[in-house]
């Protein structure tokens, strides 16, 4: 069984947990605290970042986009209807565009700022800096409106079928939601899309993440928020 | 013929110019100044970022990783020996890991800082901030040593054949080199690898980029540096 080296509050790791659950791919989990810069972990992934997927017989897959492509290349076809990267070249392009949107743009402008200031600084002992938190809270509104705009034209974020894009986007949003910082009133369609993703069985595993001294916002695991 | 909407000092755009030349893929070029946030450009790519590839009949490909996958899916097989994403699943994984290393890690830690402070601020009218420039100059040493470490084990950055990874890495480095900020003395193997990429015919096109009031560092187009 493949092993996912992850951290519960790493958005990229969270998206892989959702994706594996959707695809019916069993995983073993090993938790890594990337800020400790453990030598053994750096030997596996010199960038020092989660997630890392260890697959049989001797494959080490590092980094979210390479792992997503790898999972599709090794398991996609066998998934049939549950495949999360579509077959058509133009459809794949749109799934990858939206996946990158959240893994890069949303991460840079929102989720990285919130996670570093509000969650990781608790472990590393720093105190949260309000500047980045304020910036993230302003930036997230544009992203919610963009999700809403897309959802008025499509069934899911990158097309008619559930894809990597929905689960990656929801993984990033789930961490901001954990901190109670998603202004869901900004866009009704965006909220409705998130409710649909959140109510999927794959999402349940995320609700149980707890860290000492950290209580999720009341909306976090609620279906009616 | 496909059209690349690019900026001469966007490292992602530069890598596509190299890659197209290596693959023998003819492109038309349209220059975009992303900091102007032109409405017509935002309609093509709502993220507002270069590069964008317009392909026949009606394909708009946005973002570096989606474009790289798209080019391989549409032209890779026909390239034969000049294909830049290998066929083997494990080999692809390593090319994508190293491509992402430079497009994300090196970009965040080095090339984005240098390009924004030293190049783009000339257009936008700001004055360079020395903090990020100093950070980039410190960070780049680790990356050069990592390139050197890899080159002592392999023929090219991600394996035995030239791949996306070499051209993406060289595109980022070329902009830092334009500013004279690559400490080539740090690692002899890294320098030797860059000399090999730089001496390829595909690289010549980059040497002619000029912007008003900006003179490249003397090493920029030199083969013996």
């Amino acid at each position: 069984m493949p092993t996912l080296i992850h951290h519960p509050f790493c958005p990229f790791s969270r998206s892989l947990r959702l994706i594996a659950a959707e695809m019916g791919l069993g995983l073993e989990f090993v938790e890594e605290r990337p800020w400790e810069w453990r030598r053994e972990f750096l030997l596996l992934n010199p960038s020092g970042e989660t997630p890392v997927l260890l697959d049989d017989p001797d494959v080490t897959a590092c980094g979210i986009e390479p792992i997503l492509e790898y999972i599709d290349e090794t398991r996609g076809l066998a998934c049939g209807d549950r495949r999360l990267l579509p077959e058509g070249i133009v459809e794949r392009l749109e799934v990858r565009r939206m996946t990158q949107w959240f893994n890069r743009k949303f991460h840079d402008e929102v989720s990285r700022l919130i996670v570093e200031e509000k969650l990781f600084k608790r472990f590393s002992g720093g105190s949260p800096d309000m500047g980045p938190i304020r910036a993230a809270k302003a930036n997230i509104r544009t992203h919610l409106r963009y999700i809403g705009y897309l959802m008025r034209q499509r069934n899911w974020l990158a097309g008619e079928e559930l894809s990597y894009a929905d689960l990656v986007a929801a993984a990033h949003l789930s961490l901001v939601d954990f901190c109670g910082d998603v202004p869901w009133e900004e866009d009704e369609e965006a909220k409705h899309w998130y409710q649909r993703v959140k109510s999927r069985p794959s999402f349940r595993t995320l609700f149980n993440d707890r860290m000492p001294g950290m209580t999720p916002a009341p909306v976090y695991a609620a279906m009616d928020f």
Side-chain angles (χ1 to χ4, degrees), chain A:
Chain A
M1 188 181 284
T3 299
L4 185 69
I5 306 179
H6 78 119
H7 189 275
F9 293 153
C10 158
F12 311 113
S13 303
R14 280 168 94 85
S15 67
L16 287 179
R17 289 161 64 199
L18 293 176
I19 284 162
E22 289 287 344
M23 292 174 75
L25 169 64
L27 290 180
E28 290 188 29
F29 295 98
V30 173
E31 196 176 310
E32 177 67 33
R33 304 181 158 209
W35 60 90
E36 292 181 355
W37 297 99
R38 284 196 316 119
R39 184 177 153 75
E40 291 76 10
F41 183 58
L42 289 172
L43 288 174
L44 278 177
N45 185 7
S47 84
E49 290 158 4
T50 48
V52 170
L53 184 77
L54 304 178
D55 196 15
D56 304 322
D58 196 22
V59 173
T60 305
C62 304
I64 182 66
E65 272 94 9
I67 294 176
L68 291 178
E69 297 291 337
Y70 174 79
I71 292 178
D72 187 69
E73 286 176 355
T74 53
R75 274 91 171 175
L77 272 181
C79 273
D81 283 355
R82 298 164 84 182
R83 187 172 181 180
L84 294 167
L85 187 62
E87 244 181 276
I89 284 178
V90 175
E91 289 75 17
R92 292 165 83 81
L93 200 50
E94 184 63 359
V95 169
R96 289 185 179 120
R97 180 181 78 86
M98 289 310 302
T99 300
Q100 184 165 3
W101 182 289
F102 283 91
N103 277 338
R104 186 145 328 170
K105 193 174 174 65
F106 188 85
H107 185 243
D108 285 352
E109 297 176 1
V110 182
S111 52
R112 187 177 58 77
L113 309 180
I114 295 285
V115 169
E116 279 185 6
E117 297 302 326
K118 289 200 164 182
L119 301 177
F120 282 140
K121 277 203 176 166
R122 300 238 190 155
F123 305 129
S124 62
S127 58
D129 182 346
M130 284 310 291
I133 295 175
R134 269 194 297 270
K137 284 181 167 185
N139 294 338
I140 196 173
R141 294 186 181 269
T142 314
H143 290 278
L144 289 176
R145 288 199 302 272
Y146 188 50
I147 294 172
Y149 164 81
L150 292 173
M151 292 312 295
R152 281 182 281 278
Q153 305 166 51
R154 308 168 166 181
N155 193 28
W156 291 99
L157 210 48
E160 292 313 304
E161 305 294 336
L162 180 82
S163 75
Y164 278 163
D166 299 280
L167 302 158
V168 165
H172 284 274
L173 275 160
S174 74
L175 283 170
V176 187
D177 205 36
F178 185 95
C179 298
D181 286 333
V182 184
W184 289 114
E185 75 286 357
E186 181 74 26
D187 194 292
E188 199 57 36
E189 288 295 330
K191 178 180 173 175
H192 183 59
W193 160 81
Y194 188 67
Q195 276 173 326
R196 284 166 65 211
V197 185
K198 193 175 179 177
S199 60
R200 296 180 74 85
S202 64
F203 227 84
R204 276 179 215 145
T205 160
L206 300 191
F207 296 143
N208 298 324
D209 289 338
R210 290 290 181 276
M211 299 300 279
M214 297 167 115
T215 313
V219 295
Y220 178 59
M223 283 308 147
D224 185 18
F225 53 93

